[in-house]
Amino acid sequence: SQHFKLLIVGGGSGGLGTASKFAKCGSVGIIEPREKHFYQPGFTLVGGGLMSLEANVKNEADLIPKNTTWVRDKVKKFEPKENKVILRSGGEISYDYMVVAMGIDLRFDLIKGALEALETPGVCSNYHPKYAQKHFQEAMKFQKGTALFTFPNTPIKCAGAPQKACYITDSLLRQRGVRQNAKIIYATSLPRLFGIEKYLKSLEKIAKEKDIDVRTRWNLVEVKAKEKIAVFEMLDEPGKLEEVQYSLLHIGPPCSAPEALRNSELADEKTGFLDVNPKTLQSTKFENVFGVGDCMNTANAKTAAAVSSHLKTVGMNLKDAMEGRSCFSAEYDGYASCPLVVSTNRVILAEFNPQGACETFPFDQSKPTYIAYLMKRYFMPFLYWNGLIKGLWNGPATIRKCFSCVKKS
Ligand code: FAD
Ligand code: UQ1
């Protein structure tokens, strides 16, 4: 069995960023089963035909930092009392410190018939690379009927993404001259379009202008692909179901904490996510364990932008722990960002923390702009590949401070 000073579980955005920050410490292992690494924020643009899938994928092998050992396997079981994990292959790895960065699992399986439906005409999802490409194909084929977009009754990463898919489809149908043949429905299990007041107002206006029929507290429970029928439960009227006939169906998948985490002592019993102190990102149960990214039970929106702030916090606090300091240097403030693509060339660059909007740039970011679209299309992928996963991008707080000084003087 192997031993590392630092063991990282998951080689996605947060895992690679952590590995880059700590590679110097000499003994870092990173467990990741997948051979390909996707830039997931690009999936929205793939679904809109605005970027190719190939431009959003790299080989994991080429991204693992130097001086880091890639264990191409999957954690099956955590044994944090013994400072070790059991792998799918049966092997064991022990550690002095562990960072859990396993992300969140897509659970199309929780909707009856959804997995099968994704293989039938008209059904797609930007949450999965294959079905994101299918989204664009379906939008280009669409002739008439209902285009239906759903948002699940669970936590989900990038909660704006199902809406982005809806707005982009509206644009594509207009460009193709078939929008008048379409009814577009956005059906969400939430009571409103967005949680932050400032962006909610802009989004409500956009949905109205685009003639999108918003149904709140609607939760997709079944897809009958043969008849092209989507079945919803009415969350405020227990027992009541509604059926919608679709031509195009974009599914926002239910999500859950990864299985190995859910079933471990590291999990928050209520949600199954990694139980951490929301400020220090240290496990509430094991002092030598920290978390990064979507797998934690923190209140932030689950985005790569939030990961950049998590990396700053864990970068400092884990170093403190390794050097024997019990008083931590950094606190996570709940920051997240979600570039809301509202057409094929406009973006609302939402940035917020649980208290409200928290914007970087000296313009009103709740207004859809072309410059924000250009940032989403060109700058964010650059920042991700060259900054975030290299451990060099700690979020926009510094830029924000610069702009706010310029504004004041
Ligand atoms: P991930 O990057 O998902 O990595 C988790 C890794 O853990 C995976 O590689 C997985 O294989 C691995 N893993 C899982 N289980 C195990 C196990 N048992 N053992 C070992 N390894 C395991 N964010 C933004 O900031 N802006 C956006 O515009 C944006 N748009 C998005 C659009 C879509 C459609 C999607 C799907 C996501 C979007 N995101 C966006 C969210 C962003 O991609 C995630 O928040 C981010 O990747 C989270 O990083 P992570 O490291 O927590 O998880
Ligand atoms: C961000 O930092 C980030 O990670 C690299 C993203 O993911 C791709 C984002 O979408 C956004 C918006 C940010 C935040 C960065 C700025 C400059 C606002």
Side-chain angles (χ1 to χ4, degrees), residues 371-406:
I371 183 88
Y373 172 77
L374 292 176
M375 281 197 250
K376 164 77 187 166
R377 172 65 182 80
Y378 298 100
F379 183 53
M380 297 309 162
F382 175 86
L383 205 55
Y384 183 88
W385 295 117
N386 302 290
L388 188 122
I389 63 169
K390 306 278 184 211
L392 301 172
W393 171 243
N394 291 320
T398 313
I399 308 178
R400 187 163 63 234
K401 278 177 205 141
C402 289
F403 277 126
S404 67
C405 285
V406 173

PDB file of all heavy atoms in Angstrom, residues 371-406:
ATOM      1  N   ILE A 371     -19.374  42.481 -23.910  1.00  0.00           N
ATOM      2  CA  ILE A 371     -18.050  42.344 -23.297  1.00  0.00           C
ATOM      3  C   ILE A 371     -18.048  41.173 -22.298  1.00  0.00           C
ATOM      4  O   ILE A 371     -17.083  40.403 -22.236  1.00  0.00           O
ATOM      5  CB  ILE A 371     -17.575  43.679 -22.642  1.00  0.00           C
ATOM      6  CG1 ILE A 371     -16.158  43.553 -22.067  1.00  0.00           C
ATOM      7  CG2 ILE A 371     -18.483  44.190 -21.565  1.00  0.00           C
ATOM      8  CD1 ILE A 371     -15.091  43.850 -23.062  1.00  0.00           C
ATOM      9  N   ALA A 372     -19.146  41.018 -21.562  1.00  0.00           N
ATOM     10  CA  ALA A 372     -19.234  39.882 -20.626  1.00  0.00           C
ATOM     11  C   ALA A 372     -19.300  38.564 -21.406  1.00  0.00           C
ATOM     12  O   ALA A 372     -18.754  37.547 -20.973  1.00  0.00           O
ATOM     13  CB  ALA A 372     -20.437  40.033 -19.704  1.00  0.00           C
ATOM     14  N   TYR A 373     -19.955  38.602 -22.590  1.00  0.00           N
ATOM     15  CA  TYR A 373     -19.953  37.398 -23.431  1.00  0.00           C
ATOM     16  C   TYR A 373     -18.530  37.042 -23.853  1.00  0.00           C
ATOM     17  O   TYR A 373     -18.103  35.882 -23.783  1.00  0.00           O
ATOM     18  CB  TYR A 373     -20.839  37.580 -24.678  1.00  0.00           C
ATOM     19  CG  TYR A 373     -20.687  36.410 -25.628  1.00  0.00           C
ATOM     20  CD1 TYR A 373     -21.312  35.201 -25.373  1.00  0.00           C
ATOM     21  CD2 TYR A 373     -19.843  36.499 -26.740  1.00  0.00           C
ATOM     22  CE1 TYR A 373     -21.113  34.095 -26.198  1.00  0.00           C
ATOM     23  CE2 TYR A 373     -19.634  35.417 -27.570  1.00  0.00           C
ATOM     24  CZ  TYR A 373     -20.269  34.212 -27.296  1.00  0.00           C
ATOM     25  OH  TYR A 373     -20.063  33.117 -28.114  1.00  0.00           O
ATOM     26  N   LEU A 374     -17.766  38.069 -24.265  1.00  0.00           N
ATOM     27  CA  LEU A 374     -16.379  37.813 -24.701  1.00  0.00           C
ATOM     28  C   LEU A 374     -15.544  37.251 -23.546  1.00  0.00           C
ATOM     29  O   LEU A 374     -14.707  36.372 -23.744  1.00  0.00           O
ATOM     30  CB  LEU A 374     -15.737  39.093 -25.252  1.00  0.00           C
ATOM     31  CG  LEU A 374     -16.327  39.594 -26.573  1.00  0.00           C
ATOM     32  CD1 LEU A 374     -15.674  40.927 -26.971  1.00  0.00           C
ATOM     33  CD2 LEU A 374     -16.155  38.568 -27.693  1.00  0.00           C
ATOM     34  N   MET A 375     -15.818  37.731 -22.324  1.00  0.00           N
ATOM     35  CA  MET A 375     -15.099  37.182 -21.165  1.00  0.00           C
ATOM     36  C   MET A 375     -15.436  35.705 -20.984  1.00  0.00           C
ATOM     37  O   MET A 375     -14.562  34.875 -20.771  1.00  0.00           O
ATOM     38  CB  MET A 375     -15.449  37.956 -19.896  1.00  0.00           C
ATOM     39  CG  MET A 375     -14.714  39.279 -19.769  1.00  0.00           C
ATOM     40  SD  MET A 375     -14.801  39.862 -18.081  1.00  0.00           S
ATOM     41  CE  MET A 375     -15.857  41.245 -18.250  1.00  0.00           C
ATOM     42  N   LYS A 376     -16.732  35.393 -21.064  1.00  0.00           N
ATOM     43  CA  LYS A 376     -17.177  34.004 -20.906  1.00  0.00           C
ATOM     44  C   LYS A 376     -16.557  33.112 -21.992  1.00  0.00           C
ATOM     45  O   LYS A 376     -16.092  32.006 -21.726  1.00  0.00           O
ATOM     46  CB  LYS A 376     -18.712  33.959 -20.974  1.00  0.00           C
ATOM     47  CG  LYS A 376     -19.338  32.596 -21.206  1.00  0.00           C
ATOM     48  CD  LYS A 376     -19.348  31.731 -19.974  1.00  0.00           C
ATOM     49  CE  LYS A 376     -19.816  30.315 -20.293  1.00  0.00           C
ATOM     50  NZ  LYS A 376     -19.542  29.388 -19.210  1.00  0.00           N
ATOM     51  N   ARG A 377     -16.566  33.603 -23.229  1.00  0.00           N
ATOM     52  CA  ARG A 377     -16.119  32.781 -24.366  1.00  0.00           C
ATOM     53  C   ARG A 377     -14.592  32.626 -24.415  1.00  0.00           C
ATOM     54  O   ARG A 377     -14.091  31.548 -24.725  1.00  0.00           O
ATOM     55  CB  ARG A 377     -16.644  33.397 -25.671  1.00  0.00           C
ATOM     56  CG  ARG A 377     -16.105  32.782 -26.954  1.00  0.00           C
ATOM     57  CD  ARG A 377     -16.544  31.336 -27.112  1.00  0.00           C
ATOM     58  NE  ARG A 377     -15.987  30.731 -28.323  1.00  0.00           N
ATOM     59  CZ  ARG A 377     -14.753  30.258 -28.423  1.00  0.00           C
ATOM     60  NH1 ARG A 377     -13.924  30.340 -27.386  1.00  0.00           N
ATOM     61  NH2 ARG A 377     -14.324  29.711 -29.550  1.00  0.00           N
ATOM     62  N   TYR A 378     -13.857  33.707 -24.136  1.00  0.00           N
ATOM     63  CA  TYR A 378     -12.407  33.669 -24.337  1.00  0.00           C
ATOM     64  C   TYR A 378     -11.577  33.766 -23.064  1.00  0.00           C
ATOM     65  O   TYR A 378     -10.581  33.076 -22.905  1.00  0.00           O
ATOM     66  CB  TYR A 378     -11.965  34.777 -25.314  1.00  0.00           C
ATOM     67  CG  TYR A 378     -12.583  34.594 -26.668  1.00  0.00           C
ATOM     68  CD1 TYR A 378     -13.698  35.339 -27.056  1.00  0.00           C
ATOM     69  CD2 TYR A 378     -12.072  33.641 -27.551  1.00  0.00           C
ATOM     70  CE1 TYR A 378     -14.289  35.142 -28.303  1.00  0.00           C
ATOM     71  CE2 TYR A 378     -12.664  33.440 -28.791  1.00  0.00           C
ATOM     72  CZ  TYR A 378     -13.768  34.191 -29.160  1.00  0.00           C
ATOM     73  OH  TYR A 378     -14.351  33.971 -30.377  1.00  0.00           O
ATOM     74  N   PHE A 379     -11.976  34.663 -22.141  1.00  0.00           N
ATOM     75  CA  PHE A 379     -11.118  34.912 -20.975  1.00  0.00           C
ATOM     76  C   PHE A 379     -11.254  33.804 -19.934  1.00  0.00           C
ATOM     77  O   PHE A 379     -10.247  33.343 -19.382  1.00  0.00           O
ATOM     78  CB  PHE A 379     -11.451  36.290 -20.378  1.00  0.00           C
ATOM     79  CG  PHE A 379     -10.578  36.666 -19.206  1.00  0.00           C
ATOM     80  CD1 PHE A 379      -9.191  36.638 -19.305  1.00  0.00           C
ATOM     81  CD2 PHE A 379     -11.147  37.059 -17.997  1.00  0.00           C
ATOM     82  CE1 PHE A 379      -8.379  36.986 -18.227  1.00  0.00           C
ATOM     83  CE2 PHE A 379     -10.354  37.408 -16.903  1.00  0.00           C
ATOM     84  CZ  PHE A 379      -8.964  37.373 -17.020  1.00  0.00           C
ATOM     85  N   MET A 380     -12.482  33.332 -19.637  1.00  0.00           N
ATOM     86  CA  MET A 380     -12.678  32.324 -18.586  1.00  0.00           C
ATOM     87  C   MET A 380     -11.985  30.988 -18.918  1.00  0.00           C
ATOM     88  O   MET A 380     -11.334  30.422 -18.037  1.00  0.00           O
ATOM     89  CB  MET A 380     -14.157  32.102 -18.279  1.00  0.00           C
ATOM     90  CG  MET A 380     -14.871  33.330 -17.738  1.00  0.00           C
ATOM     91  SD  MET A 380     -14.007  34.073 -16.339  1.00  0.00           S
ATOM     92  CE  MET A 380     -14.775  35.698 -16.325  1.00  0.00           C
ATOM     93  N   PRO A 381     -12.079  30.499 -20.174  1.00  0.00           N
ATOM     94  CA  PRO A 381     -11.335  29.265 -20.478  1.00  0.00           C
ATOM     95  C   PRO A 381      -9.824  29.453 -20.280  1.00  0.00           C
ATOM     96  O   PRO A 381      -9.146  28.588 -19.722  1.00  0.00           O
ATOM     97  CB  PRO A 381     -11.648  29.003 -21.962  1.00  0.00           C
ATOM     98  CG  PRO A 381     -12.899  29.756 -22.246  1.00  0.00           C
ATOM     99  CD  PRO A 381     -12.933  30.918 -21.310  1.00  0.00           C
ATOM    100  N   PHE A 382      -9.306  30.615 -20.684  1.00  0.00           N
ATOM    101  CA  PHE A 382      -7.884  30.902 -20.503  1.00  0.00           C
ATOM    102  C   PHE A 382      -7.511  30.899 -19.019  1.00  0.00           C
ATOM    103  O   PHE A 382      -6.529  30.298 -18.600  1.00  0.00           O
ATOM    104  CB  PHE A 382      -7.568  32.273 -21.141  1.00  0.00           C
ATOM    105  CG  PHE A 382      -6.149  32.716 -20.905  1.00  0.00           C
ATOM    106  CD1 PHE A 382      -5.123  32.303 -21.748  1.00  0.00           C
ATOM    107  CD2 PHE A 382      -5.847  33.540 -19.829  1.00  0.00           C
ATOM    108  CE1 PHE A 382      -3.812  32.694 -21.508  1.00  0.00           C
ATOM    109  CE2 PHE A 382      -4.539  33.929 -19.583  1.00  0.00           C
ATOM    110  CZ  PHE A 382      -3.518  33.505 -20.427  1.00  0.00           C
ATOM    111  N   LEU A 383      -8.360  31.571 -18.243  1.00  0.00           N
ATOM    112  CA  LEU A 383      -8.122  31.672 -16.795  1.00  0.00           C
ATOM    113  C   LEU A 383      -8.169  30.284 -16.134  1.00  0.00           C
ATOM    114  O   LEU A 383      -7.423  29.986 -15.203  1.00  0.00           O
ATOM    115  CB  LEU A 383      -9.244  32.542 -16.221  1.00  0.00           C
ATOM    116  CG  LEU A 383      -9.019  33.294 -14.937  1.00  0.00           C
ATOM    117  CD1 LEU A 383      -7.788  34.165 -15.025  1.00  0.00           C
ATOM    118  CD2 LEU A 383     -10.246  34.191 -14.649  1.00  0.00           C
ATOM    119  N   TYR A 384      -9.037  29.429 -16.642  1.00  0.00           N
ATOM    120  CA  TYR A 384      -9.191  28.080 -16.088  1.00  0.00           C
ATOM    121  C   TYR A 384      -7.961  27.232 -16.380  1.00  0.00           C
ATOM    122  O   TYR A 384      -7.334  26.687 -15.478  1.00  0.00           O
ATOM    123  CB  TYR A 384     -10.434  27.419 -16.697  1.00  0.00           C
ATOM    124  CG  TYR A 384     -10.726  26.037 -16.139  1.00  0.00           C
ATOM    125  CD1 TYR A 384     -11.501  25.883 -15.000  1.00  0.00           C
ATOM    126  CD2 TYR A 384     -10.238  24.891 -16.766  1.00  0.00           C
ATOM    127  CE1 TYR A 384     -11.775  24.619 -14.489  1.00  0.00           C
ATOM    128  CE2 TYR A 384     -10.515  23.621 -16.264  1.00  0.00           C
ATOM    129  CZ  TYR A 384     -11.285  23.497 -15.123  1.00  0.00           C
ATOM    130  OH  TYR A 384     -11.553  22.250 -14.626  1.00  0.00           O
ATOM    131  N   TRP A 385      -7.601  27.135 -17.673  1.00  0.00           N
ATOM    132  CA  TRP A 385      -6.503  26.231 -18.065  1.00  0.00           C
ATOM    133  C   TRP A 385      -5.149  26.739 -17.575  1.00  0.00           C
ATOM    134  O   TRP A 385      -4.281  25.945 -17.219  1.00  0.00           O
ATOM    135  CB  TRP A 385      -6.462  26.057 -19.590  1.00  0.00           C
ATOM    136  CG  TRP A 385      -7.663  25.361 -20.176  1.00  0.00           C
ATOM    137  CD1 TRP A 385      -8.560  25.893 -21.062  1.00  0.00           C
ATOM    138  CD2 TRP A 385      -8.085  23.995 -19.964  1.00  0.00           C
ATOM    139  NE1 TRP A 385      -9.514  24.952 -21.406  1.00  0.00           N
ATOM    140  CE2 TRP A 385      -9.239  23.787 -20.747  1.00  0.00           C
ATOM    141  CE3 TRP A 385      -7.598  22.928 -19.195  1.00  0.00           C
ATOM    142  CZ2 TRP A 385      -9.926  22.569 -20.787  1.00  0.00           C
ATOM    143  CZ3 TRP A 385      -8.274  21.717 -19.230  1.00  0.00           C
ATOM    144  CH2 TRP A 385      -9.417  21.540 -20.025  1.00  0.00           C
ATOM    145  N   ASN A 386      -4.965  28.049 -17.576  1.00  0.00           N
ATOM    146  CA  ASN A 386      -3.638  28.597 -17.241  1.00  0.00           C
ATOM    147  C   ASN A 386      -3.541  29.106 -15.819  1.00  0.00           C
ATOM    148  O   ASN A 386      -2.439  29.312 -15.313  1.00  0.00           O
ATOM    149  CB  ASN A 386      -3.276  29.731 -18.209  1.00  0.00           C
ATOM    150  CG  ASN A 386      -3.285  29.253 -19.635  1.00  0.00           C
ATOM    151  OD1 ASN A 386      -2.425  28.475 -20.034  1.00  0.00           O
ATOM    152  ND2 ASN A 386      -4.299  29.648 -20.387  1.00  0.00           N
ATOM    153  N   GLY A 387      -4.674  29.339 -15.186  1.00  0.00           N
ATOM    154  CA  GLY A 387      -4.666  29.891 -13.834  1.00  0.00           C
ATOM    155  C   GLY A 387      -5.199  28.927 -12.797  1.00  0.00           C
ATOM    156  O   GLY A 387      -4.473  28.415 -11.955  1.00  0.00           O
ATOM    157  N   LEU A 388      -6.499  28.649 -12.859  1.00  0.00           N
ATOM    158  CA  LEU A 388      -7.156  27.881 -11.794  1.00  0.00           C
ATOM    159  C   LEU A 388      -6.522  26.509 -11.553  1.00  0.00           C
ATOM    160  O   LEU A 388      -6.102  26.203 -10.438  1.00  0.00           O
ATOM    161  CB  LEU A 388      -8.648  27.730 -12.107  1.00  0.00           C
ATOM    162  CG  LEU A 388      -9.436  27.110 -10.948  1.00  0.00           C
ATOM    163  CD1 LEU A 388     -10.565  28.020 -10.487  1.00  0.00           C
ATOM    164  CD2 LEU A 388     -10.003  25.775 -11.317  1.00  0.00           C
ATOM    165  N   ILE A 389      -6.408  25.700 -12.597  1.00  0.00           N
ATOM    166  CA  ILE A 389      -5.892  24.336 -12.354  1.00  0.00           C
ATOM    167  C   ILE A 389      -4.390  24.328 -12.125  1.00  0.00           C
ATOM    168  O   ILE A 389      -3.832  23.337 -11.674  1.00  0.00           O
ATOM    169  CB  ILE A 389      -6.297  23.335 -13.465  1.00  0.00           C
ATOM    170  CG1 ILE A 389      -5.703  23.746 -14.807  1.00  0.00           C
ATOM    171  CG2 ILE A 389      -7.807  23.170 -13.537  1.00  0.00           C
ATOM    172  CD1 ILE A 389      -5.863  22.651 -15.871  1.00  0.00           C
ATOM    173  N   LYS A 390      -3.708  25.447 -12.412  1.00  0.00           N
ATOM    174  CA  LYS A 390      -2.276  25.550 -12.119  1.00  0.00           C
ATOM    175  C   LYS A 390      -2.039  26.111 -10.709  1.00  0.00           C
ATOM    176  O   LYS A 390      -0.896  26.382 -10.325  1.00  0.00           O
ATOM    177  CB  LYS A 390      -1.578  26.468 -13.127  1.00  0.00           C
ATOM    178  CG  LYS A 390      -1.797  26.096 -14.573  1.00  0.00           C
ATOM    179  CD  LYS A 390      -0.857  24.979 -15.009  1.00  0.00           C
ATOM    180  CE  LYS A 390      -1.048  24.695 -16.489  1.00  0.00           C
ATOM    181  NZ  LYS A 390      -0.790  23.305 -16.823  1.00  0.00           N
ATOM    182  N   GLY A 391      -3.125  26.384  -9.991  1.00  0.00           N
ATOM    183  CA  GLY A 391      -2.984  26.916  -8.633  1.00  0.00           C
ATOM    184  C   GLY A 391      -2.593  28.387  -8.601  1.00  0.00           C
ATOM    185  O   GLY A 391      -2.161  28.907  -7.576  1.00  0.00           O
ATOM    186  N   LEU A 392      -2.789  29.088  -9.730  1.00  0.00           N
ATOM    187  CA  LEU A 392      -2.324  30.481  -9.825  1.00  0.00           C
ATOM    188  C   LEU A 392      -3.473  31.494  -9.784  1.00  0.00           C
ATOM    189  O   LEU A 392      -3.239  32.684  -9.712  1.00  0.00           O
ATOM    190  CB  LEU A 392      -1.544  30.685 -11.136  1.00  0.00           C
ATOM    191  CG  LEU A 392      -0.317  29.793 -11.314  1.00  0.00           C
ATOM    192  CD1 LEU A 392       0.256  29.938 -12.726  1.00  0.00           C
ATOM    193  CD2 LEU A 392       0.733  30.135 -10.266  1.00  0.00           C
ATOM    194  N   TRP A 393      -4.710  31.017  -9.873  1.00  0.00           N
ATOM    195  CA  TRP A 393      -5.861  31.940  -9.887  1.00  0.00           C
ATOM    196  C   TRP A 393      -6.640  31.751  -8.595  1.00  0.00           C
ATOM    197  O   TRP A 393      -7.169  30.675  -8.331  1.00  0.00           O
ATOM    198  CB  TRP A 393      -6.745  31.667 -11.110  1.00  0.00           C
ATOM    199  CG  TRP A 393      -8.067  32.394 -11.117  1.00  0.00           C
ATOM    200  CD1 TRP A 393      -9.300  31.824 -11.099  1.00  0.00           C
ATOM    201  CD2 TRP A 393      -8.290  33.809 -11.166  1.00  0.00           C
ATOM    202  NE1 TRP A 393     -10.271  32.782 -11.127  1.00  0.00           N
ATOM    203  CE2 TRP A 393      -9.689  34.013 -11.166  1.00  0.00           C
ATOM    204  CE3 TRP A 393      -7.451  34.936 -11.202  1.00  0.00           C
ATOM    205  CZ2 TRP A 393     -10.268  35.282 -11.210  1.00  0.00           C
ATOM    206  CZ3 TRP A 393      -8.026  36.195 -11.237  1.00  0.00           C
ATOM    207  CH2 TRP A 393      -9.412  36.359 -11.248  1.00  0.00           C
ATOM    208  N   ASN A 394      -6.645  32.812  -7.773  1.00  0.00           N
ATOM    209  CA  ASN A 394      -7.295  32.734  -6.458  1.00  0.00           C
ATOM    210  C   ASN A 394      -8.593  33.517  -6.409  1.00  0.00           C
ATOM    211  O   ASN A 394      -9.042  33.929  -5.347  1.00  0.00           O
ATOM    212  CB  ASN A 394      -6.339  33.246  -5.395  1.00  0.00           C
ATOM    213  CG  ASN A 394      -5.162  32.307  -5.200  1.00  0.00           C
ATOM    214  OD1 ASN A 394      -5.329  31.092  -5.218  1.00  0.00           O
ATOM    215  ND2 ASN A 394      -3.980  32.859  -5.041  1.00  0.00           N
ATOM    216  N   GLY A 395      -9.192  33.749  -7.580  1.00  0.00           N
ATOM    217  CA  GLY A 395     -10.452  34.489  -7.620  1.00  0.00           C
ATOM    218  C   GLY A 395     -10.213  35.967  -7.827  1.00  0.00           C
ATOM    219  O   GLY A 395      -9.084  36.455  -7.713  1.00  0.00           O
ATOM    220  N   PRO A 396     -11.288  36.697  -8.140  1.00  0.00           N
ATOM    221  CA  PRO A 396     -11.146  38.089  -8.568  1.00  0.00           C
ATOM    222  C   PRO A 396     -11.091  39.116  -7.434  1.00  0.00           C
ATOM    223  O   PRO A 396     -11.121  40.310  -7.720  1.00  0.00           O
ATOM    224  CB  PRO A 396     -12.382  38.304  -9.442  1.00  0.00           C
ATOM    225  CG  PRO A 396     -13.399  37.388  -8.867  1.00  0.00           C
ATOM    226  CD  PRO A 396     -12.670  36.216  -8.280  1.00  0.00           C
ATOM    227  N   ALA A 397     -10.957  38.682  -6.174  1.00  0.00           N
ATOM    228  CA  ALA A 397     -11.017  39.659  -5.067  1.00  0.00           C
ATOM    229  C   ALA A 397     -10.002  40.794  -5.241  1.00  0.00           C
ATOM    230  O   ALA A 397     -10.317  41.963  -4.999  1.00  0.00           O
ATOM    231  CB  ALA A 397     -10.802  38.944  -3.736  1.00  0.00           C
ATOM    232  N   THR A 398      -8.796  40.466  -5.715  1.00  0.00           N
ATOM    233  CA  THR A 398      -7.758  41.502  -5.868  1.00  0.00           C
ATOM    234  C   THR A 398      -8.147  42.505  -6.951  1.00  0.00           C
ATOM    235  O   THR A 398      -8.033  43.715  -6.760  1.00  0.00           O
ATOM    236  CB  THR A 398      -6.410  40.835  -6.226  1.00  0.00           C
ATOM    237  OG1 THR A 398      -6.209  39.738  -5.337  1.00  0.00           O
ATOM    238  CG2 THR A 398      -5.266  41.814  -6.081  1.00  0.00           C
ATOM    239  N   ILE A 399      -8.644  41.983  -8.081  1.00  0.00           N
ATOM    240  CA  ILE A 399      -9.086  42.882  -9.169  1.00  0.00           C
ATOM    241  C   ILE A 399     -10.212  43.778  -8.657  1.00  0.00           C
ATOM    242  O   ILE A 399     -10.248  44.988  -8.917  1.00  0.00           O
ATOM    243  CB  ILE A 399      -9.622  42.078 -10.383  1.00  0.00           C
ATOM    244  CG1 ILE A 399      -8.612  41.018 -10.830  1.00  0.00           C
ATOM    245  CG2 ILE A 399      -9.987  42.998 -11.530  1.00  0.00           C
ATOM    246  CD1 ILE A 399      -9.086  40.151 -11.993  1.00  0.00           C
ATOM    247  N   ARG A 400     -11.126  43.166  -7.892  1.00  0.00           N
ATOM    248  CA  ARG A 400     -12.267  43.915  -7.358  1.00  0.00           C
ATOM    249  C   ARG A 400     -11.796  45.067  -6.484  1.00  0.00           C
ATOM    250  O   ARG A 400     -12.280  46.188  -6.590  1.00  0.00           O
ATOM    251  CB  ARG A 400     -13.178  42.971  -6.575  1.00  0.00           C
ATOM    252  CG  ARG A 400     -14.478  43.589  -6.116  1.00  0.00           C
ATOM    253  CD  ARG A 400     -15.481  42.508  -5.737  1.00  0.00           C
ATOM    254  NE  ARG A 400     -15.037  41.700  -4.618  1.00  0.00           N
ATOM    255  CZ  ARG A 400     -14.958  40.370  -4.618  1.00  0.00           C
ATOM    256  NH1 ARG A 400     -15.289  39.683  -5.687  1.00  0.00           N
ATOM    257  NH2 ARG A 400     -14.545  39.726  -3.566  1.00  0.00           N
ATOM    258  N   LYS A 401     -10.799  44.776  -5.631  1.00  0.00           N
ATOM    259  CA  LYS A 401     -10.281  45.825  -4.746  1.00  0.00           C
ATOM    260  C   LYS A 401      -9.644  46.943  -5.564  1.00  0.00           C
ATOM    261  O   LYS A 401      -9.839  48.112  -5.280  1.00  0.00           O
ATOM    262  CB  LYS A 401      -9.280  45.240  -3.746  1.00  0.00           C
ATOM    263  CG  LYS A 401     -10.001  44.607  -2.564  1.00  0.00           C
ATOM    264  CD  LYS A 401      -9.029  43.949  -1.586  1.00  0.00           C
ATOM    265  CE  LYS A 401      -9.751  42.863  -0.810  1.00  0.00           C
ATOM    266  NZ  LYS A 401      -8.887  41.680  -0.607  1.00  0.00           N
ATOM    267  N   CYS A 402      -8.881  46.594  -6.614  1.00  0.00           N
ATOM    268  CA  CYS A 402      -8.260  47.606  -7.473  1.00  0.00           C
ATOM    269  C   CYS A 402      -9.315  48.534  -8.053  1.00  0.00           C
ATOM    270  O   CYS A 402      -9.221  49.756  -7.941  1.00  0.00           O
ATOM    271  CB  CYS A 402      -7.513  46.962  -8.637  1.00  0.00           C
ATOM    272  SG  CYS A 402      -6.022  46.132  -8.144  1.00  0.00           S
ATOM    273  N   PHE A 403     -10.362  47.935  -8.663  1.00  0.00           N
ATOM    274  CA  PHE A 403     -11.403  48.756  -9.283  1.00  0.00           C
ATOM    275  C   PHE A 403     -12.114  49.615  -8.255  1.00  0.00           C
ATOM    276  O   PHE A 403     -12.435  50.774  -8.530  1.00  0.00           O
ATOM    277  CB  PHE A 403     -12.409  47.883 -10.036  1.00  0.00           C
ATOM    278  CG  PHE A 403     -11.967  47.508 -11.410  1.00  0.00           C
ATOM    279  CD1 PHE A 403     -11.933  46.176 -11.800  1.00  0.00           C
ATOM    280  CD2 PHE A 403     -11.576  48.472 -12.325  1.00  0.00           C
ATOM    281  CE1 PHE A 403     -11.521  45.812 -13.076  1.00  0.00           C
ATOM    282  CE2 PHE A 403     -11.157  48.122 -13.607  1.00  0.00           C
ATOM    283  CZ  PHE A 403     -11.129  46.777 -13.981  1.00  0.00           C
ATOM    284  N   SER A 404     -12.355  49.073  -7.066  1.00  0.00           N
ATOM    285  CA  SER A 404     -13.120  49.877  -6.104  1.00  0.00           C
ATOM    286  C   SER A 404     -12.260  51.032  -5.594  1.00  0.00           C
ATOM    287  O   SER A 404     -12.770  52.098  -5.276  1.00  0.00           O
ATOM    288  CB  SER A 404     -13.675  49.019  -4.971  1.00  0.00           C
ATOM    289  OG  SER A 404     -12.641  48.518  -4.187  1.00  0.00           O
ATOM    290  N   CYS A 405     -10.927  50.909  -5.562  1.00  0.00           N
ATOM    291  CA  CYS A 405     -10.053  52.026  -5.200  1.00  0.00           C
ATOM    292  C   CYS A 405     -10.107  53.090  -6.278  1.00  0.00           C
ATOM    293  O   CYS A 405     -10.230  54.273  -6.011  1.00  0.00           O
ATOM    294  CB  CYS A 405      -8.603  51.559  -5.056  1.00  0.00           C
ATOM    295  SG  CYS A 405      -8.346  50.648  -3.549  1.00  0.00           S
ATOM    296  N   VAL A 406     -10.025  52.654  -7.555  1.00  0.00           N
ATOM    297  CA  VAL A 406     -10.053  53.600  -8.668  1.00  0.00           C
ATOM    298  C   VAL A 406     -11.356  54.393  -8.626  1.00  0.00           C
ATOM    299  O   VAL A 406     -11.376  55.604  -8.811  1.00  0.00           O
ATOM    300  CB  VAL A 406      -9.916  52.852 -10.025  1.00  0.00           C
ATOM    301  CG1 VAL A 406     -10.105  53.803 -11.194  1.00  0.00           C
ATOM    302  CG2 VAL A 406      -8.565  52.172 -10.103  1.00  0.00           C
TER     303      VAL A 406
END
